[in-house]
Amino acid sequence: MILRFPVLAGLALSVGPAFSQQIYDIWATTWDRAQLFTYTNLSPNPINFVSPGAIGQADITIEETPLAQSMVGYGASLTDSSALILSNLKSQNSNNYWSILNTLFDPTDGADAAGFSYLRVPLGASDFSAKVYSLDDVSGDTSLTSFNINNAPSYLFSVINDIQGINPYLKVHIIPWSPPGWMKDSGTMNGGNFLSQYSTVYANYLLKSLQGFQSHGISVYAIGIQNEPENSNPTYPTCKISASQEAQIGSTLRSLMNSNGFSGVRIIGYDHNWDDAAGYPVQLMDDASSAFSGVAFHCYAGNFTQQDSFHNAFPSKEVYFTECTGEYGSDWWSDIKWYMENIFIGSVTHSSKNGLMWNLALDGNGNPKLPGTSSCGTPCRPVVQVNSDGSFMYHQEFYSMAQAGKAILPRDVNGPFGQRLHLTIGGARAQGLIATALVVLNWDDRPGGTWNPTPIQTTIEFRDMQATYTFPVGVTTLWWYAPSTSLNASEEQGQAEGKQQPFTAWVHADVNSERQQPVEVVFQ
């Protein structure tokens, strides 16, 4: 099987046929930016796994079973503002436009690209839109005869279509920042509370949104009821929706989706901060578990470990991490460490299937924003900054996600995405690394209490074999290749007797519309 074991210092894992257990491919982003998602191919001198010896300064032991959870991708939100920035760039400098999209989204094995495969898209206006609008702004239109998916700007759909052309695995997650204002006590999309009398109407509004995206050639992976349902802000689209209201809307929507060709689309609930993980999302599942595939979290309050409160209560439900933003003026390396500790390692090791940032693209001032919004008082930093002259730059949000994202991409076309494995870290300098079997962070920049970024010589234990690699301070993603293990107990005996050997094939399966890890089957 092919094992892509990314490390932060990062380690990654995936499966497919190969010949030996050797590390060939390395991507690295270091604290001093000497390497920025830099690729190194070790062929023809790979790092070999050998018989175990003494452990290194740190020792990572990877457990092949049981699998923790399958991963579905990394990415960001394509707000109206992000889509506008990119669309304008396409007109101004198409080469730079396609360079950005390919670097962000190309999943091809061997491509110099991050391969992001998860895109979150607001339904209607957010705080990063040119104006406040919904998809039906006719007050009292309970029959939704004035619903129009094309109230959303055309450039939103065209950019998504361009991304789909680059990444066939793209998962699109749509969610409103507010229902239409006439469904709320405020009478506007900016702030206020949802009125329960419109629950069925709103469920039909969300169904029409799915159909609208489909009309633009976009298959939706997941839909949400309300972004940040515990937040009301009168300066931009927000709405308070209680857990019981969301449960009622979700139950109606689930029935409508199942009856209209969207049974495979997930409904993801909550989509708010870690700090209420034991409250709202638990109540939501208590009220309408069968309607929801899982819940999503944001980083703005609480701690990633609080995801456990939900996961322990509903271990069969999915966990997603869907929003966090950087702000201009912060420290590059401190941000890398925070993102890895809290999101791309932390949230993932606490059951999240993905990791997303907020705006995909903005300018150097965190614009354009909705006029009058109070959000992002310190300008929000995008994954990629596009300047007025058509030049661009990637920020720390990109490099953090790129290292993690590279680890889970399919090795072969239409192959499986990576799955998180369990691991343990030991050794005298174990505290210098944090890890999943996708990513390991060497954050040992003050080993003696003073600034002294120090590499850590590390042994990696896998299948009773051992490899050694010295991780610089930063993020490193390793891909390695391990021999497939036979499922035929009589194979060695057959070889000894000179009999014709069975052949093997990799069999894939879809479960709930999600591609699973391949299984090696032996055919006689």
Side-chain angles (χ1 to χ4, degrees):
M1 77 177 80
I2 295 175
L3 293 179
R4 297 195 307 252
F5 183 60
V7 190
L8 194 70
L11 294 174
L13 185 72
S14 170
V15 182
F19 299 103
S20 60
Q21 195 162 306
Q22 299 171 309
I23 297 170
Y24 280 92
D25 303 300
I26 302 173
W27 285 264
T29 296
T30 53
W31 71 273
D32 57 1
R33 304 188 223 190
Q35 297 186 78
L36 291 171
F37 194 45
T38 301
Y39 173 62
T40 302
N41 188 324
L42 299 181
S43 181
N45 298 303
I47 297 171
N48 293 310
F49 279 77
V50 298
S51 298
I55 68 170
Q57 295 169 313
D59 184 63
I60 299 172
T61 300
I62 303 157
E63 302 169 18
E64 198 166 359
T65 56
L67 294 172
Q69 80 261 7
S70 60
M71 301 297 295
V72 296
Y74 295 90
S77 289
L78 187 72
T79 59
D80 289 352
S81 295
S82 293
L84 178 61
I85 284 280
L86 291 169
S87 180
N88 288 344
L89 179 62
K90 186 177 183 180
S91 300
Q92 178 185 15
N93 188 326
S94 63
N95 287 337
N96 283 4
Y97 171 80
W98 288 110
S99 175
I100 288 173
L101 290 197
N102 278 289
T103 298
L104 292 175
F105 294 103
D106 187 352
T108 307
D109 181 37
D112 185 16
F116 296 154
S117 54
Y118 206 108
L119 200 65
R120 188 164 170 258
V121 182
L123 281 177
S126 72
D127 43 334
F128 285 85
S129 294
K131 63 179 182 179
V132 175
Y133 71 94
S134 76
L135 302 178
D136 187 342
D137 285 323
V138 177
S139 181
D141 183 22
T142 56
S143 62
L144 300 175
T145 54
S146 296
F147 180 95
N148 187 358
I149 192 66
N150 294 317
N151 285 359
S154 60
Y155 49 76
L156 176 70
F157 300 112
S158 62
V159 172
I160 296 173
N161 291 150
D162 285 345
I163 295 170
Q164 284 180 312
I166 294 170
N167 191 329
Y169 311 116
L170 186 71
K171 295 175 176 62
V172 176
H173 183 157
I174 60 176
I175 183 171
W177 262 235
S178 172
W182 51 271
M183 297 185 188
K184 303 162 60 179
D185 62 2
S186 60
T188 172
M189 291 181 70
N190 293 354
N193 300 276
F194 181 74
L195 297 173
S196 294
Q197 69 198 63
Y198 292 108
S199 292
T200 298
V201 177
Y202 189 38
N204 277 282
Y205 175 92
L206 295 171
L207 174 67
K208 284 182 173 291
S209 300
L210 284 167
Q211 294 167 331
F213 269 70
Q214 188 178 60
S215 73
H216 282 277
I218 301 166
S219 295
V220 171
Y221 170 81
I223 186 169
I225 308 295
Q226 171 63 42
N227 174 67
E228 298 187 346
E230 297 179 299
N231 178 33
S232 173
N233 186 311
T235 71
Y236 69 97
T238 51
C239 180
K240 285 191 174 182
I241 293 182
S242 69
S244 60
Q245 287 175 320
E246 183 166 321
Q248 183 180 0
I249 297 164
S251 295
T252 304
L253 177 60
R254 180 77 271 166
S255 179
L256 288 169
M257 288 165 58
N258 291 347
S259 300
N260 286 275
F262 296 99
S263 59
V265 177
R266 291 160 164 77
I267 303 178
I268 305 299
Y270 186 53
D271 230 296
H272 208 167
N273 292 327
W274 285 317
D275 62 341
D276 196 23
Y280 191 115
V282 171
Q283 182 184 341
L284 185 63
M285 293 303 113
D286 283 337
D287 291 348
S289 178
S290 61
F292 292 85
S293 295
V295 300
F297 293 97
H298 298 180
C299 75
Y300 307 116
N303 183 278
F304 63 90
T305 61
Q306 291 173 283
Q307 291 178 184
D308 291 346
S309 298
F310 174 79
H311 177 69
N312 292 339
F314 293 94
S316 65
K317 293 297 181 180
E318 297 175 334
V319 174
Y320 293 82
F321 182 89
T322 51
E323 189 180 313
C324 194
T325 190
E327 295 181 337
Y328 278 106
S330 60
D331 178 70
W332 190 89
W333 170 232
S334 295
D335 289 340
I336 293 279
K337 289 190 292 183
W338 194 94
Y339 290 143
M340 302 313 300
E341 179 189 8
N342 291 275
I343 302 174
F344 306 119
I345 292 177
S347 179
V348 168
T349 56
H350 291 265
S351 306
S352 177
K353 295 168 67 69
N354 72 342
L356 307 183
M357 298 303 296
W358 182 206
N359 283 277
L360 184 67
L362 295 171
D363 69 14
N365 296 310
N367 290 320
K369 291 196 298 184
L370 181 73
T373 180
S374 65
S375 71
C376 290
T378 302
C380 285
R381 185 176 53 234
V383 175
V384 57
Q385 173 182 318
V386 180
N387 302 312
S388 58
D389 62 359
S391 62
F392 61 92
M393 65 179 295
Y394 300 105
H395 288 299
Q396 45 266 54
E397 290 76 16
F398 168 80
Y399 293 107
S400 302
M401 284 197 297
Q403 294 285 161
K406 198 70 173 179
I408 67 170
L409 292 174
R411 175 70 181 185
D412 304 308
V413 175
N414 293 323
F417 272 65
Q419 300 199 35
R420 183 172 72 86
L421 302 183
H422 295 283
L423 59 76
T424 56
I425 304 175
R429 293 185 60 190
Q431 77 288 344
L433 301 179
I434 62 173
T436 72
L438 294 174
V439 183
V440 177
L441 169 65
N442 178 356
W443 55 356
D444 205 8
D445 51 23
R446 296 178 181 271
T450 57
W451 181 257
N452 183 27
T454 306
I456 297 179
Q457 188 241 10
T458 305
T459 42
I460 303 167
E461 317 290 343
F462 181 72
R463 291 186 181 171
D464 299 320
M465 300 290 283
Q466 184 184 81
T468 301
Y469 188 76
T470 298
F471 294 111
V473 173
V475 191
T476 308
T477 301
L478 303 182
W479 282 16
W480 79 64
Y481 303 80
S484 57
T485 55
S486 173
L487 302 182
N488 190 331
S490 63
E491 183 173 358
E492 292 185 5
Q493 178 182 354
Q495 289 174 339
E497 296 173 359
K499 296 178 181 177
Q500 183 176 359
Q501 297 306 306
F503 67 91
T504 62
W506 290 89
V507 178
H508 299 262
D510 289 343
V511 177
N512 294 327
S513 301
E514 182 175 333
R515 199 47 142 351
Q516 301 299 299
Q517 196 82 352
V519 177
E520 186 186 45
V521 177
V522 179
F523 293 86
Q524 299 295 339

